[in-house]
Amino acid sequence: MSLLVVGLSHRSAPVSVLERAALSADAQIKLLQDTVAAEPATEAAVLATCNRIELYADVDKFHAGVAELSTLLAQHSGVGLGELTPYLYVHYEDRAVHHLFSVACGLDSMVVGEGQILGQIKDSLARAQDLHTAGKLLNDLFQQALRVGKRAHSETGIDRAGQSLVTFGLEQLAAGGDVRAWAAGRTALVIGAGSMSSLAAATLARAGVAEIVVANRTFERAERLAEILGEGDDTGTVTARAVRMDAVADELTRADVVVSCTGATGLVLTAEAVAQAVEGRTGAPAAEITDAPRTTAHAKASQPSAGPGGDENCPLDLAAVQPGFSLMGEAAVAGMDAATLEQHAAWVAGGTIDRPGRRTPETDAELITALAATAATVGRIPERRTPEPVAERPAPLVFLLDLAMPRDIDAAVHRLAGVRLVDIESLAEASADAPMAADVDQVRRIVSDEVAAFGAAQRAAHITPTVVALRTMAADVVAGEIARLDGRLPDLDERQRGEIRQAVHRVVDKLLHAPTVRVKQLAAEPGGAGYADALRTLFDLDPETVAAVSRAGDSTEEKDRPA
């Protein structure tokens, strides 16, 4: 097994990079085709979700495979290789299996334990099968990953630790309150009619909204989703209807909750459109809040102003700084020398630094290093002590949930008063603080056991063609010797010939039984791949015969695989 995965996810890359690297359905198809056409890879599958892009392949060379898969990801995502590389991770062989099984169980999801990933893995496998880029290894791997994920959900309480991204997003819109109480009686607009949008609509219906409006570029799909929602409501309290995309602007003025998850490559809702909707509801232009924080239920409290109190002995010329300016991030070092900045850092910590002597590039480097250490300890470069107060946000009139990647809703909507926007980026920030259930440890043990079992099965399967070729060779030797005996003893009757034939076969079978059983056991252990080579060498087996047996086995499995 030479399984390799190269990818990026919400754990390795910021949302801005994931947005730009997102692959359309056509791009995924082309990526698969180009991957199997590349020299190191013989099989390929792409797992692309709103928070991960991963390329799986069976390769014959590790380093060449990493280079080729990384290059292909960069080419098809449109993000330069140099920019993409720092965010890529690589897993090989057993570590790659462990990674996919963890993903299937929801352990690597933004919301730990969520079950939607199983459907996405199933879709990924189906796409690779349709394009004939998945061979025996990836078929076995992905099908086993689905079984492992289902086992984790059925045997543990991982569902208690996780929930769907939709449910988590609605909880953030409700600011951590009861979603049913928050949603009761509201009107919801769902943009898109794919799997995520359908889940959002069904979740909103269960939460108790009064009306759901579905908008989609293909009106027939919107109509079908609306019909399903209507048929599934036994209480009669939820009405559902479909509209065309050009009606979204009008529906936006009436909707209390908007969930958008389309495959569009550009914005579906601009900040201007949302502002106009707010104005349509209130009769007044939507105000813009400066330096508005992201709206998540787990938003961090503002840190207190730094400094020992007052401006006394502050080394910075604060009079020259614009009112309300904060010394944070890269802005802090813009136009200021290292010595001044270090003096400021020391003053914040309540001490002073006196560095007589002439400045040199070396001393500047030392000073900047010291400043970085101070910033790392404090968590940031401290602000001025008299920052402008941040305006409080008014109660939201419109709640927006953007589950698309790349984003459907303009991030500038965060700055609009009367609007609460939760997107993938703010969900990532909120989920970082989410508690993990004790069942996660049990799921991790399941993953470890399943990885070991999968590796053993793959190694055992690797030697099976060699064992079959050995038994075939033995059968050919027996057949040749029986034919030779028939020529030398023509007077034997059929009964005698049968007895001799059975006796010879029994001897050969008994001689081969123990060695072949034992070699399969040894081959299943870690590091057992060399036993197949040893068997071929000891019995002088034709490599082409072994390969032919392996191809025949793959063809049989492909024919028997359910559609």
Side-chain angles (χ1 to χ4, degrees):
M1 177 177 62
S2 299
L3 176 66
L4 176 67
V5 55
V6 178
L8 66 160
S9 73
H10 65 101
R11 294 187 182 276
S12 68
V15 172
S16 58
V17 174
L18 286 172
E19 276 190 315
R20 293 170 53 210
L23 299 172
S24 66
D26 290 341
Q28 292 178 44
I29 292 173
K30 190 66 168 64
L31 174 59
L32 286 173
Q33 293 170 335
D34 289 352
T35 301
V36 294
E39 183 179 343
T42 56
E43 302 180 33
V46 173
L47 179 58
T49 72
C50 60
N51 52 39
R52 78 177 60 251
I53 303 161
E54 296 176 345
L55 179 56
Y56 291 78
D58 183 8
V59 298
D60 56 9
K61 298 171 185 171
F62 172 73
H63 294 290
V66 171
E68 187 65 31
L69 266 58
S70 301
T71 301
L72 288 168
L73 274 175
Q75 288 177 351
H76 290 277
S77 69
V79 181
L81 181 60
E83 184 179 358
L84 192 65
T85 298
Y87 304 111
L88 294 176
Y89 47 77
V90 175
H91 298 296
Y92 188 56
E93 294 188 335
D94 285 351
R95 291 302 306 170
V97 177
H98 189 282
H99 175 73
L100 181 59
F101 287 5
S102 297
V103 169
C105 294
L107 292 179
D108 198 57
S109 295
M110 186 179 293
V111 181
V112 174
E114 60 93 8
Q116 290 171 256
I117 187 65
L118 287 174
Q120 293 160 334
I121 291 174
K122 185 177 180 181
D123 292 342
S124 175
L125 175 59
R127 184 184 304 109
Q129 288 174 338
D130 290 344
L131 295 172
H132 304 289
T133 63
K136 176 173 172 48
L137 175 60
L138 291 185
N139 270 296
D140 290 349
L141 174 70
F142 274 68
Q143 288 173 358
Q144 186 62 25
L146 292 171
R147 287 190 284 268
V148 173
K150 292 174 182 176
R151 179 188 169 193
H153 284 278
S154 64
E155 295 184 12
T156 74
I158 190 68
D159 292 322
R160 294 194 296 270
Q163 53 199 320
S164 75
L165 205 59
V166 172
T167 305
F168 190 55
L170 293 180
E171 287 185 357
Q172 299 305 304
L173 288 181
D178 180 65
V179 173
R180 287 183 175 275
W182 165 80
R186 295 186 185 273
T187 296
L189 171 62
V190 176
I191 304 176
S195 58
M196 186 73 81
S197 299
S198 300
L199 178 60
T203 304
L204 286 166
R206 288 194 300 270
V209 297
E211 182 183 20
I212 298 176
V213 180
V214 183
N216 193 57
R217 297 189 187 282
T218 305
F219 182 65
E220 290 74 16
R221 293 191 65 182
E223 279 188 314
R224 178 59 183 150
L225 178 54
E227 289 175 5
I228 292 173
L229 291 170
E231 294 168 356
D233 178 35
D234 298 330
T235 63
T237 57
V238 180
T239 60
R241 57 188 175 89
V243 298
R244 301 185 185 278
M245 285 296 290
D246 55 12
V248 166
D250 291 335
E251 296 296 337
L252 202 57
T253 62
R254 292 188 284 271
D256 304 304
V257 183
V258 180
V259 180
S260 186
C261 186
T262 72
T265 54
L267 293 175
V268 175
L269 293 179
T270 63
E272 291 76 15
V274 176
Q276 290 173 6
V278 173
E279 184 176 356
R281 295 171 71 102
T282 63
E288 186 170 311
I289 299 176
T290 307
D291 296 329
R294 291 196 175 275
T295 51
T296 72
H298 300 275
K300 305 289 189 299
S302 298
Q303 297 188 26
S305 300
D311 292 345
E312 185 179 357
N313 298 324
C314 179
L316 299 186
D317 181 12
L318 298 181
V321 183
Q322 293 293 329
F325 180 78
S326 296
L327 297 178
M328 299 179 67
E330 295 179 1
V333 297
M336 302 181 188
D337 63 82
T340 302
L341 284 172
E342 190 188 23
Q343 292 281 357
H344 175 255
W347 169 80
V348 168
T352 59
I353 291 181
D354 185 14
R355 286 183 178 269
R358 187 175 179 181
R359 288 175 49 219
T360 65
E362 290 76 14
T363 57
D364 269 2
E366 293 177 6
L367 295 173
I368 291 173
T369 301
L371 174 65
T374 302
T377 302
V378 176
R380 59 177 181 160
I381 297 175
E383 300 179 10
R384 275 186 52 195
R385 289 151 313 292
T386 55
E388 293 293 320
V390 178
E392 291 188 7
R393 298 182 69 97
L397 300 171
V398 182
F399 300 83
L400 299 103
L401 177 57
D402 184 359
L403 298 174
M405 184 63 73
R407 70 177 73 241
D408 278 349
I409 303 176
D410 193 344
V413 170
H414 280 292
R415 297 197 297 268
L416 295 179
V419 177
R420 175 174 294 160
L421 169 62
V422 171
D423 53 21
I424 292 294
E425 190 167 3
S426 52
L427 283 174
E429 294 170 1
S431 65
D433 295 331
M436 295 177 65
D439 297 277
V440 169
D441 288 337
Q442 187 179 352
V443 173
R444 286 176 176 151
R445 288 193 293 271
I446 288 175
V447 169
S448 296
D449 292 344
E450 291 285 355
V451 169
F454 183 82
Q458 289 294 309
R459 289 187 291 270
H462 176 67
I463 203 170
T464 297
T466 304
V467 172
V468 171
L470 174 60
R471 288 190 171 276
T472 301
M473 183 191 74
D476 291 342
V477 170
V478 169
E481 290 300 318
I482 293 297
R484 181 168 168 269
L485 183 64
D486 287 344
R488 295 180 61 182
L489 300 173
D491 296 333
L492 293 175
D493 58 31
E494 191 60 34
R495 184 185 64 79
Q496 292 170 326
R497 285 193 179 91
E499 288 291 342
I500 294 173
R501 189 179 299 110
Q502 288 183 6
V504 174
H505 275 293
R506 281 195 297 270
V507 170
V508 171
D509 287 342
K510 287 181 178 180
L511 285 173
L512 291 181
H513 176 72
T516 54
V517 169
R518 185 61 181 143
V519 79
K520 286 182 178 180
Q521 293 171 343
L522 292 170
E525 296 175 359
Y531 286 100
D533 295 334
L535 207 60
R536 286 194 294 270
T537 302
L538 286 171
F539 289 92
D540 195 24
L541 298 176
D542 182 8
E544 182 54 37
T545 302
V546 176
V549 173
S550 182
R551 287 194 297 270
D554 291 347
S555 300
T556 302
E557 288 190 9
E558 184 68 30
K559 183 177 65 176
D560 294 341
R561 185 175 296 120

